[in-house]
Amino acid sequence: MGEVLATLATGLWHWDTATGLVTVDAEAARLLGLPPEETVLTEAQTRARLHPVDWNEITGVIQLAVAEDTLAEVRVRIMDDQGQIVRVVRSRSKPSFDPATKVYELIGTIQEVTEPRPGTHAGRTAVTGDWRRSREAFLLDAGRALAEARSTAEVLRVAAGLSMPGFSPDGLAVFGVEGDRLTIIGHHGQQPGDESPFSHMALATDYPAAEVVRTGRAVYLSSPEDYKSRYPVTWPLARHFGRQSWAFLPLTVAGRTMGAWMAAFAYPVAFTPDERSVLTTVARMLAQALSRAGAAESERELTDGLQRSMLPTLGPRIPGMSVAARYVPTGGGLQVGGDWYDMIPLPNGRFALVIGDVQGHDVRAAGLMGQLRIALRAYASEGHRPDAVLSRASRFLHGMTYGDADTADLRFATCLYVEADPTTGILDVARAGHPDPAIRMADGTVLTRPTAGGLPLGIDPDADYPTTRITLESGETLLLCTDGLIETGGHDMETGWKRIRTILEDHGGDLEALADALVQAVHGPSSHHTTGPLADRREDDIAVLLLSRQGEAGGDTIVVRPRVRRTMLSVAQAEPERVAVARQQLRELLHDWPSPDQIDSAVLLLSEMLTNVLVHTDADALLLAEVRGEAGGRRMRVEVTDTSDDLPHKRRPGELASSGRGLVLIELLADAWGVDPRGEGKSIWFELYESTEEVSPDGDAPADGEP
């Protein structure tokens, strides 16, 4: 059977929608433009070999054949890798359909056919055997494709790929209007440069497209003689293309003719009423698509320009420090929103880093963002401390939003303000409802830095914003970001931070590379940024600021490996919940400590020390934890300081006592400990030493011969 079909140049194919696979024999593979051997293709691979309009028609014919219990017969254009039609084939198949599983299965034949002469009745009926049904299917597919086009270039590509049933043009051109002249928006089927004589042609010229724009009526020229007699002046410009028929149709939107569309044919076309109906409908759809695309492109250009104008360029180089920033707008709506960052030189020789997010993703949010950014720069330049800057900014935003008559559109903003001293690395941080900063230490350890904070800006005009002081050591990097970097892809704050921490820990390049890595890993490439190649269409705006303090050897690299890493945290009497934050900070500091038992011991002792301060004194507690030395011989030191002069005393609590075990536990679990009086207050500390001895799962040292 296969040899007979091969002799007749007929191939066999089998398509099972349950598996999504299409099996073709050697002859069918050849007709599809593949090596002549039996092969199995996916639906996507098969679809890539067929004209897109024909693929949509195939599905419709199959459904009709199932409904009528007939053969499915369709003519299909085969495309090469460059998108050119290489042959036309006829496919016949008997489809079967399982209503329970919604699965189609088809076995059919495929054979190359010779197209009837275009423009004739046979040519019009050859596509499916029914001109009107074919026309309706074509217009439906063309309308869908043009409606999905998002740019002018994409609209032109779709228009160039349209193959009208029974009469397909081989040359297309789209004309626009600028003032009193024609312009060429795009063309297909001509060589580059062929459009030059027609570009910027005066509308008064005796040329078909110009007449169409002037009158709003289509012009049909069915022969060269017709063209020459009606437009003798411009006929010499069109003659050398060798076309036989032309249709020029107006592109009209809302009653205004915005341009003209030319369809040129290499064979005579009579332009029957049916053919004119198809061309007119396509022209209307093309005009609507071009209008939508043009409006969208103008909108994108406007909003992108607005957003860029509101974002600053980073200031001059700071001795001993490096700064990098990225901004990526959301892909929805206007691609303009309220996220921003800024770097502000201060009168005292320091500088401020600001990052924030005004509620919303619209023009109002962007406008408020711009005004708030200017206000923050003004308050900072006056020399105010971080808490005063945010207090004034909150009062400013509250007056702007709550003072409006329209109270239905109240807005607030989160903000993180950091005043940095490049000489000492001291950072004074004030926070208004914004995510906490994070620090990547020189050895790659990443810690979130809990900071005191207040309400988002604009909610309470009398809100206070306490300041937290931290120190950026040599080789460390500070990360400030908006929540768009964290909460995307279904992540919450906790899982989002884990993802960002992994990126920070694994990255060893300079700041610019790290900024790109953060944005690309979380959001994919982006075209909206301060430097470097990055794309858009995101779930939320993001802004990222990175500040790195260089190592002793200088340079921009952020990977330096000193022998000390530390964290510091204050726990106020009114904030007992920060004891849990302190425990988490210590665990993060000891992320690579080899003994889980020692980590648990350190966390337990820290809880005892902090609780002792909060319960038995009226003072706040300050935690300082650090790890010194090289791996295998490191020393962990945890110190809690308070301003109370009452020294702790070792007691012997009973079995039912609820307190008094702190020093007993320290003496039992710590390798060293002590209490040091200070000028005002005291410090209690303990140390644990890293052990290189391996521990078995049951807690005992391994026996000889055990792994």
Side-chain angles (χ1 to χ4, degrees), residues 691-707:
S691 174
T692 57
E693 185 177 276
E694 296 184 10
V695 179
S696 62
D698 58 4
D700 299 326
D704 292 341
E706 291 183 358

Side-chain angles (χ1 to χ4, degrees), residues 177-330:
V177 180
E178 287 186 3
D180 60 350
R181 294 187 174 273
L182 286 178
T183 61
I184 300 291
I185 298 176
H187 62 91
H188 174 74
Q190 289 78 228
Q191 296 297 321
D194 284 348
E195 74 279 6
S196 297
F198 307 94
S199 183
H200 300 288
M201 179 182 289
L203 288 178
T205 305
D206 186 28
Y207 179 64
E211 179 179 323
V212 166
V213 173
R214 293 196 306 267
T215 64
R217 295 192 298 269
V219 171
Y220 297 98
L221 305 171
S222 57
S223 67
E225 291 74 18
D226 193 9
Y227 196 127
K228 182 177 180 180
S229 64
R230 293 183 60 179
Y231 303 96
V233 175
T234 53
W235 164 245
L237 298 178
R239 178 174 54 192
H240 79 277
F241 290 101
R243 303 277 166 56
Q244 299 297 309
S245 298
W246 300 260
F248 292 84
L249 297 105
L251 299 175
T252 305
V253 177
R256 182 179 67 89
T257 301
M258 55 180 287
W261 174 47
M262 180 199 76
F265 300 83
Y267 49 84
V269 178
F271 297 118
T272 65
D274 279 335
E275 292 166 344
R276 294 190 182 199
S277 175
V278 170
L279 290 168
T280 301
T281 304
V282 172
R284 290 172 180 168
M285 293 189 297
L286 183 59
Q288 294 288 340
L290 287 171
S291 178
R292 287 193 303 270
E297 288 170 347
S298 298
E299 188 177 83
R300 285 194 295 269
E301 183 178 352
L302 174 63
T303 55
D304 288 351
L306 171 65
Q307 196 75 55
R308 291 193 192 98
S309 68
M310 291 183 173
L311 288 175
T313 56
L314 298 180
R317 185 177 180 86
I318 304 167
M321 287 188 166
S322 299
V323 182
R326 294 290 183 273
Y327 172 76
V328 184
T330 179

Side-chain angles (χ1 to χ4, degrees), residues 529-602:
H529 50 82
T530 53
T531 57
L534 291 173
D536 41 19
R537 310 195 188 286
R538 306 293 166 241
E539 298 177 20
D540 194 7
D541 302 346
I542 67 169
V544 177
L545 262 176
L546 294 171
L547 173 67
S548 176
R549 191 177 181 197
Q550 296 162 3
E552 296 179 359
D556 291 336
T557 56
I558 61 175
V559 178
V560 183
R561 303 192 181 276
R563 299 181 180 181
V564 181
R565 67 172 182 247
R566 62 173 60 89
T567 185
M568 184 180 294
L569 182 71
S570 62
V571 180
Q573 284 283 333
E575 299 177 312
E577 66 276 3
R578 285 176 67 84
V579 174
V581 176
R583 291 196 297 262
Q584 181 61 29
Q585 284 279 290
L586 184 58
R587 287 191 180 276
E588 291 180 354
L589 188 72
L590 303 176
H591 70 98
D592 59 349
W593 196 268
S595 171
D597 289 341
Q598 285 187 312
I599 295 176
D600 291 339
S601 297

Side-chain angles (χ1 to χ4, degrees), residues 22-362:
V22 179
T23 303
V24 296
D25 66 6
E27 182 61 17
R30 183 190 69 80
L31 293 173
L32 290 175
L34 300 171
E37 57 188 19
E38 183 176 340
T39 186
V40 178
L41 306 171
T42 64
E43 289 182 4
Q45 291 172 325
T46 306
R47 185 171 185 169
R49 313 302 302 181
L50 311 181
H51 194 284
V53 174
D54 294 351
W55 173 268
N56 293 331
E57 187 172 328
I58 288 173
T59 57
V61 170
I62 290 172
Q63 293 172 2
L64 183 63
V66 169
E68 297 178 351
D69 193 24
T70 59
L71 288 175
E73 180 173 346
V74 63
R75 293 197 178 204
V76 181
R77 287 159 292 182
I78 307 300
M79 314 291 287
D80 61 15
D81 295 334
Q82 285 72 43
Q84 300 297 320
I85 300 174
V86 294
R87 63 175 57 87
V88 178
V89 299
R90 178 192 293 111
S91 174
R92 291 189 178 95
S93 63
K94 177 63 176 176
S96 61
F97 177 71
D98 185 353
T101 61
K102 307 296 184 182
V103 171
Y104 287 92
E105 185 173 4
L106 300 92
I107 299 176
T109 61
I110 183 173
Q111 186 178 35
E112 186 171 5
V113 297
T114 302
E115 283 283 69
R117 182 171 175 267
T120 64
H121 176 74
R124 289 194 301 269
T125 59
V127 177
T128 62
D130 185 343
W131 156 255
R132 296 188 181 278
R133 188 172 67 186
S134 177
R135 180 186 64 182
E136 292 170 359
F138 161 75
L139 292 176
L140 180 63
D141 293 331
R144 184 185 301 115
L146 288 171
E148 293 174 353
R150 296 184 177 182
S151 66
T152 299
E154 193 171 347
V155 171
L156 295 174
R157 284 197 299 271
V158 171
L162 296 178
S163 181
M164 301 176 197
F167 69 116
S168 295
D170 70 328
L172 301 172
V174 176
F175 298 88
V177 180
E178 287 186 3
D180 60 350
R181 294 187 174 273
L182 286 178
T183 61
I184 300 291
I185 298 176
H187 62 91
H188 174 74
Q190 289 78 228
Q191 296 297 321
D194 284 348
E195 74 279 6
S196 297
F198 307 94
S199 183
H200 300 288
M201 179 182 289
L203 288 178
T205 305
D206 186 28
Y207 179 64
E211 179 179 323
V212 166
V213 173
R214 293 196 306 267
T215 64
R217 295 192 298 269
V219 171
Y220 297 98
L221 305 171
S222 57
S223 67
E225 291 74 18
D226 193 9
Y227 196 127
K228 182 177 180 180
S229 64
R230 293 183 60 179
Y231 303 96
V233 175
T234 53
W235 164 245
L237 298 178
R239 178 174 54 192
H240 79 277
F241 290 101
R243 303 277 166 56
Q244 299 297 309
S245 298
W246 300 260
F248 292 84
L249 297 105
L251 299 175
T252 305
V253 177
R256 182 179 67 89
T257 301
M258 55 180 287
W261 174 47
M262 180 199 76
F265 300 83
Y267 49 84
V269 178
F271 297 118
T272 65
D274 279 335
E275 292 166 344
R276 294 190 182 199
S277 175
V278 170
L279 290 168
T280 301
T281 304
V282 172
R284 290 172 180 168
M285 293 189 297
L286 183 59
Q288 294 288 340
L290 287 171
S291 178
R292 287 193 303 270
E297 288 170 347
S298 298
E299 188 177 83
R300 285 194 295 269
E301 183 178 352
L302 174 63
T303 55
D304 288 351
L306 171 65
Q307 196 75 55
R308 291 193 192 98
S309 68
M310 291 183 173
L311 288 175
T313 56
L314 298 180
R317 185 177 180 86
I318 304 167
M321 287 188 166
S322 299
V323 182
R326 294 290 183 273
Y327 172 76
V328 184
T330 179
L334 293 178
Q335 294 196 11
V336 64
D339 287 26
W340 90 95
Y341 65 83
D342 206 350
M343 188 175 85
I344 309 169
L346 301 178
N348 56 9
R350 300 180 180 183
F351 66 94
L353 294 179
V354 188
I355 194 165
D357 181 5
V358 176
Q359 177 192 13
H361 302 98
D362 52 22

Side-chain angles (χ1 to χ4, degrees), residues 422-509:
T423 303
T424 63
I426 292 176
L427 309 176
D428 291 323
V429 183
R431 186 170 59 87
H434 201 81
D436 283 308
I439 288 184
R440 182 189 191 275
M441 296 183 171
D443 66 349
T445 301
V446 177
L447 298 177
T448 55
R449 287 293 194 185
T451 56
L455 292 171
L457 304 179
I459 294 179
D460 182 0
D462 299 319
D464 293 326
Y465 297 95
T467 301
T468 303
R469 173 166 288 186
I470 59 180
T471 301
L472 194 66
E473 303 288 352
S474 296
E476 293 185 344
T477 298
L478 176 75
L479 166 68
L480 312 178
C481 68
T482 55
D483 57 5
L485 186 72
I486 306 169
E487 297 178 319
T488 189
H491 287 274
D492 56 21
M493 290 296 291
E494 182 178 356
T495 60
W497 267 123
K498 288 181 180 179
R499 177 175 53 174
I500 293 172
R501 177 180 287 114
T502 300
I503 298 169
L504 291 170
E505 289 174 344
D506 294 343
H507 191 81

